[in-house]
Amino acid sequence: MSDEARRTEGFKQRTRVESARETLLDAVTPHDRTERVPLRDADERVLATDVGAARPVPHYQRAAMDGYAVRAEDTFGASDRSPEQLRVAEDVGPGTASRVHTGSELPPGSDAVVMVEDTDRQGDSLTVFDAVAGGENVAPVGEDVEEGQTLYEAGHRLRPSDLGLLKSVGLDAVEVYERPRVSVIPTGEELVQDDPDPGEVVETNGQTVTQYVERWGGEATYRDVVSDDEDALRAAVEGDLDHDVVVTTGGSSVGERDLIPEVVDELGEVLVHGVALKPGHPVALGRVADTPVLMLPGYPVACIVNAVQFLRPTLERAGHLPTTDPPTTDARLTRKVVSDPGTRTYVRVQLGEDDEGVTATPTRASGSGVLSSVALADGWVVVPERREGYDAGETVAVENWEASR
């Protein structure tokens, strides 16, 4: 479609969300940059290689209980009625026992531990009231982790418990993928950073998207506002093509000042322009050279909705991050919500509770420019394309899309 036709006809045809996302992700190539980071800095990073155990855990036979290390055969037949008598010593040999604590190395010559509650000690004399078998109450070498065992495969996203395990097997650093690098370029000559005059708007989209990039596992570069000028927009996009993803905010629709889709189409290709979702249908998705370019709408809520639907999966693909689904809460709608047929609608709701359980109440302010409607919501209800809405009283899934993982 020519620029003139686009501005005259608008979005007569809108691509469905799943199709638009698939088209975009087909244009995303995962980067291959890696770095070695210390364990203390590796939480939530993604392994670039398989990781195995350089040593077993435990690396020695250890007592699994407080008690006395013994030769199991010296306790055979011991009972409350017929206890065995042993002598307490440092070393374990026939007829002797040595005091141990949970985690202590098992003394040479011993092969079991009698729990302290099954004994009675008087000086160096130990009465044993229960027999133990060989290996009883003993943690063998490699019980937790065997030497050479593969612990995690490449692509695994590390958690604090993983890092503890890796430290226990002797590692102090791991090879991980670098975080995907994202350029965030807010556009619009009306934008200012603070103290707006009439006709000016405080820039929030770029800051919001930048912080989502960081939360979602990327590394963001937050650029200065670029005016609605083709040359300035072209220079801004071309200057950041060394990033894994370029994101612009504002100027993605069909007005006279919505220039960014034209600029991207001149430099590369606009793959999708206009998606069947609400709020935020004037999103554009493109590629320049090998860099995906996401052109998000300027209205704050529309910007956020599209960032969740398209930017997050792009980051996951580019940075080898595992795909994630937001947690959901089942709730009963307190009011009817409507949606246009063929459009996926994201209805912002606040959660509550009454005598019948958890409730979801649509926010009163629902416009795509009303940032408070999403900032003060607990999540949103997704109305699929096949539905024209949900009736009051229906149970719906409320997506907590803002959850980090």
Side-chain angles (χ1 to χ4, degrees):
M1 181 185 292
S2 69
D3 297 336
E4 185 61 32
R6 179 174 62 85
R7 289 186 176 137
T8 301
E9 300 178 21
F11 298 102
K12 287 187 175 180
Q13 298 293 326
R14 299 178 185 177
T15 306
R16 294 216 169 184
V17 174
E18 296 299 339
S19 178
R21 186 184 294 126
E22 182 178 342
T23 298
L24 172 63
L25 294 181
D26 284 344
V28 179
T29 301
H31 74 71
D32 58 4
R33 304 183 309 274
T34 66
E35 60 181 334
R36 192 162 182 82
V37 300
L39 292 183
R40 64 179 177 276
D41 298 326
D43 185 28
E44 297 193 341
R45 301 298 297 273
V46 177
L47 286 172
T49 62
D50 294 353
V51 177
R55 68 185 182 203
V57 179
H59 61 282
Y60 61 93
Q61 278 194 313
R62 64 187 181 190
M65 296 285 181
D66 288 341
Y68 291 88
V70 298
R71 298 193 319 160
E73 62 188 271
D74 288 340
T75 70
F76 291 168
S79 66
D80 288 339
R81 284 189 167 187
S82 179
E84 290 290 335
Q85 298 295 323
L86 302 178
R87 180 173 57 84
V88 178
E90 290 293 326
D91 299 322
V92 176
T96 62
S98 180
R99 184 73 165 96
V100 291
H101 304 278
T102 302
S104 297
E105 182 179 11
L106 206 66
S110 61
D111 62 0
V113 173
V114 179
M115 293 189 294
V116 68
E117 53 264 41
D118 293 328
T119 65
D120 179 55
R121 179 175 179 177
Q122 300 294 327
D124 290 337
S125 177
L126 183 71
T127 304
V128 178
F129 298 101
D130 191 25
V132 290
E136 190 169 342
N137 299 324
V138 173
V141 172
E143 179 189 48
D144 193 355
V145 178
E146 295 180 359
E147 183 175 358
Q149 177 182 337
T150 298
L151 299 177
Y152 305 107
E153 296 180 347
H156 177 73
R157 193 173 202 160
L158 293 166
R159 306 159 298 178
S161 59
D162 301 330
L163 300 175
L165 181 59
L166 294 178
K167 184 176 181 180
S168 75
V169 299
L171 295 177
D172 59 8
V174 285
E175 192 76 14
V176 297
Y177 287 107
E178 288 186 7
R179 292 186 174 95
R181 299 172 60 235
V182 181
S183 165
V184 181
I185 306 172
T187 75
E189 60 189 35
E190 77 282 5
L191 299 179
V192 296
Q193 291 296 348
D194 53 36
D195 297 327
D197 291 327
E200 295 180 332
V201 177
V202 174
E203 200 295 302
T204 61
N205 287 336
Q207 174 184 294
T208 301
V209 170
T210 294
Q211 290 170 329
Y212 281 136
V213 167
E214 301 284 350
R215 172 175 285 198
W216 294 336
E219 182 179 294
T221 303
Y222 179 25
R223 296 303 190 189
D224 291 335
V225 174
V226 178
S227 186
D228 298 313
D229 174 83
E230 286 191 26
D231 291 337
L233 292 168
R234 185 179 300 108
V237 172
E238 286 185 312
D240 278 348
L241 293 178
D242 59 340
H243 288 64
D244 297 301
V245 184
V246 173
V247 182
T248 65
T249 63
S252 68
S253 191
V254 294
E256 292 293 332
R257 291 164 58 185
D258 293 308
L259 304 176
I260 191 63
E262 298 173 20
V263 168
V264 170
D265 213 31
E266 290 173 5
L267 295 173
E269 179 184 10
V270 172
L271 304 169
V272 174
H273 194 193
V275 177
L277 84 171
K278 183 178 180 180
H281 72 270
V283 61
L285 310 171
R287 175 176 56 188
V288 177
D290 292 325
T291 304
V293 181
L294 281 66
M295 296 155 274
L296 306 181
Y299 277 135
V301 182
C303 179
I304 290 172
V305 168
N306 279 286
V308 175
Q309 303 312 310
F310 300 111
L311 176 55
R312 185 167 190 171
T314 298
L315 284 182
E316 292 169 344
R317 175 68 60 85
H320 302 265
L321 299 163
T323 57
T324 54
D325 293 321
T328 60
T329 301
D330 288 340
R332 180 172 38 82
L333 276 174
T334 61
R335 294 203 307 270
K336 180 179 181 178
V337 297
V338 297
S339 178
D340 298 330
T343 297
R344 185 176 299 186
T345 301
Y346 298 82
V347 181
R348 288 138 276 170
V349 298
Q350 293 176 320
L351 294 174
E353 193 168 348
D354 62 16
D355 293 341
E356 298 180 36
V358 181
T359 61
T361 301
T363 56
R364 292 290 181 183
S366 58
S368 62
V370 184
L371 182 55
S372 63
S373 70
V374 68
L376 300 180
D378 296 307
W380 56 43
V381 175
V382 181
V383 183
E385 291 87 346
R386 68 181 183 276
R387 296 285 301 251
E388 293 185 24
Y390 290 112
D391 291 328
E394 283 196 70
T395 297
V396 293
V398 178
E399 287 189 2
N400 179 12
W401 56 270
E402 206 157 24
S404 298
R405 301 284 175 260

